[in-house]
Amino acid sequence: MEEKIRSLTLPSSTILILLVTGLIPLYARDIEITLEDADLAIPLEGGLIRSWDGQEYTCDAAGKVLIPVPDDRQVVIQAAYPGYEEGRLLIPIEGSSFTLLLQLRGILENQELVIEASRPGVSETRSGRSVAISDKELSRTAEIGIIEDVMTSIKLLPGVGYAGMFNAMPSIRGGTPGDLTAVLDGFSIEQPYHWGGGVSIFDPRMVQSAQLSHGVFSARYGHTISGLLEVTSKKPSSTETGLELGLSSSAANLNLSVPLWGKGGVMVMGKLTYWDPFVWAVKPFVEEVQYITTAPYIRSGALSANYRFTPDMEWTLNGFMGGDGAGAYYQNESEAGGLKSSSDMRFSWVNTLGFLITGLTLNPLPSMVFKATAGGGFHRADLDAVMQNDVHVPYSEGFQTRFGPDLDGKTSYDLATAMDDRMTELTINYQGRLDMDWDLRKGFLFAAGVQELYSQWIEEERAHLWQETLDTTNSSPAQTWYTHYPVAFSNDIRNSGFFSSLYTLVEYTSPERRFGAELGFRVDHLYFAGKDFNIQTAPALNPRLNLDFGILKNKGPLDALSLTLGTGLFSSMNTNVIYIGKDSGIDDFELKQSRSWTSIVGTKVDFAQGYSVTIETYIKRVFDHGYLSFVTQGDVLSPEYQFDGEGRIWGFDLMLQKREARYWDGWISYSFNHARYRTPSRKDPDEPDWYYPSFHRFHNLNLVLNIKPVQSFHIAVRFGLASGAPKAVVGEVTSYPVTVDEDGTKIIEKWKRSSRYSDTERDGFALPLDLKFSFFRFNPGGKVQSETYVAVENALAFLKTRQQNTTFNAYTGQEDEGSSTASYQLPVPMLSVGFKWTY
């Protein structure tokens, strides 16, 4: 392994010589594989072909696919199709066209054929509803860099707003970040994040496929008004033992799969990060990193198991346990221009979460499937922060001139502020759901289901902060005075919510898929309970309709042309409602779920050679949107809740994709989004009624390119271009008088500048660029293969394109170079190397 990693640091000319002299095979030929039913001789469209090197290919409408094979030796390929026995075919040295026949797998009961099948190994991409990413695409776009995360791939899809590197909560088609609902194998996960939302818990090595639904998706799922992320975990093989080991410059991964007597299997997965070398390397360049005492870390483990008791009954089990944390200690003393300051800050963050899911799938009839799922989980976060700041500040000459009589001849002042925040947050949830699918024949499918989710929210927080407000006791007409005083903030929450959901739907598909329709109806209800109080809410009714038209098929260069129309209602509960208390003044039916009405028109064109173009236009209206603000009551901060927020959103997405191919594949996507919101109860009279939210960006462009000049060397490129987010218009930095609530007589000078919202001002555009160079080794006669890679993330970090407002020192008025807006990026490119070995 050490020799492989060292080879990545060789000059490019040396690497080129190694390639030419035989480190990797250069000679290959393309062959055509036709997949057919062994008895009926009909093509098996959508069949999955796994090549000798692990690459996967999908058969077209004629059951055909082109795959590359070496021309100097024989290799074996595998084929799979739902309801059929898996097949293998030996490809000889000569020949360009081969046919692989698959036999139906099933048994006869009452003269009916029962097909035992599972869905193919990728989620479903459907125009107007969802975009899917397979495990192969995840390995190229998510298994890269210092943190390997499925959300890295999701953020490259059309309709997803740019969020930066360390932010796993993007805006989906103009929706509020954090409104994305995540489910793992049907189980809803309330907080699927590490580092407070910096990265997700979904490691690409534990995921078989991921599907982002941001259109009018099925009534089977709810609890979101923006998007749904469906993650399917990897399933262990029932016949073969598997082992995967991954090592990189910042993490180690291990997957082990063991079969269970040909009827199931068990897979365990683990992940361990070690950021200490990275922190050590970056400290000389990034000031904030110099004070880290505990490098950010992630420790996680996952379990996946399944067992088929009979051909009609299968049991599954999934579990996850993980933790993350970080710590910092900042101590500094400085003196410049008469200003003396001493700062002491300690920060510690520890986060743990876990869940366990079990499910049972039954086939009581050949045309009916029942699936029952139940599980529980928890999430706990502990924060401990203490800060002491002492300053000695000289008054400016102008301030002394204006307020000399009030200063009693003093030319400077001393101020000591102490703040602390200690918080423990615990969420416990239990849930269960029952789903039924019933094939009514002649193209009709009926489905129904029910879900119950119970969540308990416990939070204890004690904080001492400093608050600054207008001094209403000072009647000076020449200057507005402020007062600076300590306040206490506390939370003691013991709330819970009972979420009940019911859905039913009917699907129809005509012969040859010329027309399809899905009509669904979903009801979501919340019963909220706290200490000595409860709140009843009105159910949210969510009808949804999708129409699919297969306009053309196999006409000239077109493989297919389809049109999709969809409209539907969605609902979700704002996460801030967990802070509601008995004194919040919210009565029955005043607590509302946030709602959205989404309509979409989409078209998809499939061309020959694996090209496709998808265009989707959408319009969304958000209403009853929940939000809160904090008001000062005495010396205590209290939240106020409102449920009258609105949003008007429209836009379109364009995606050009080249499916899995021999020499290159990938996609380029462009998204335009126009999102305006309104919060009537929190409106500033000096600002417009409707505004662009802080996360809004008009334009997002993503390029994902996989270049494969030879089978053993691949280049992966991730490039993005995102327009700027809203930026406030700021004025000059000016000083103002503040009285300190110690003895009522101390007057200090602080600095501020005016800030107002602008519809037209934006910060600079973002240019993320990531590169990955992978070297593969294959054993055509065995099951061992390996990958060694070197990657560069944030390669264009030194280009200063983020034109954001600067910060300034509130005690001296001096402007700093730092930005007032978080960019979720590190200001330096990040180099990583890695190695993966699979059996």
Side-chain angles (χ1 to χ4, degrees), residues 656-707:
L656 170 63
Q657 186 174 17
K658 175 70 167 68
R659 293 191 293 272
E660 180 74 37
R662 166 63 184 85
Y663 291 103
W664 71 276
D665 52 66
W667 69 82
I668 182 171
S669 67
Y670 168 74
S671 298
F672 174 84
N673 177 262
H674 186 277
R676 304 271 279 182
Y677 281 81
R678 177 174 177 263
T679 51
S681 300
R682 199 170 59 186
K683 180 183 179 301
D684 188 325
D686 297 327
E687 294 185 354
D689 194 26
W690 290 85
Y691 61 90
Y692 295 108
S694 60
F695 53 82
H696 175 257
R697 298 176 186 273
F698 282 111
H699 311 281
N700 284 275
L701 175 72
N702 287 304
L703 171 66
V704 176
L705 187 60
N706 304 300
I707 304 171

Side-chain angles (χ1 to χ4, degrees), residues 780-798:
K783 304 176 181 179
V784 176
Q785 65 181 46
S786 65
E787 174 190 2
T788 304
Y789 76 81
V790 59
V792 180
E793 292 180 283
N794 203 23
L796 302 179
F798 293 120

Side-chain angles (χ1 to χ4, degrees), residues 492-512:
D492 190 4
I493 297 172
R494 298 289 190 278
N495 292 336
S496 58
F498 296 85
F499 295 88
S500 301
S501 302
L502 174 70
Y503 77 86
T504 181
L505 62 88
V506 176
E507 293 182 16
Y508 171 73
T509 304
S510 68
E512 298 185 0

Side-chain angles (χ1 to χ4, degrees), residues 125-128 131 158 557-564 601-616 652-659 666-670:
T125 296
R126 302 186 68 182
S127 177
V131 182
L558 298 182
D559 283 350
L561 170 62
S562 62
L563 175 69
T564 298
V601 178
T603 183
K604 183 180 181 183
V605 184
D606 293 317
F607 296 93
Q609 305 300 321
Y611 292 94
S612 66
V613 177
T614 304
I615 304 175
E616 296 180 2
F652 64 89
D653 299 327
L654 170 66
M655 184 176 186
L656 170 63
Q657 186 174 17
K658 175 70 167 68
R659 293 191 293 272
W667 69 82
I668 182 171
S669 67
Y670 168 74

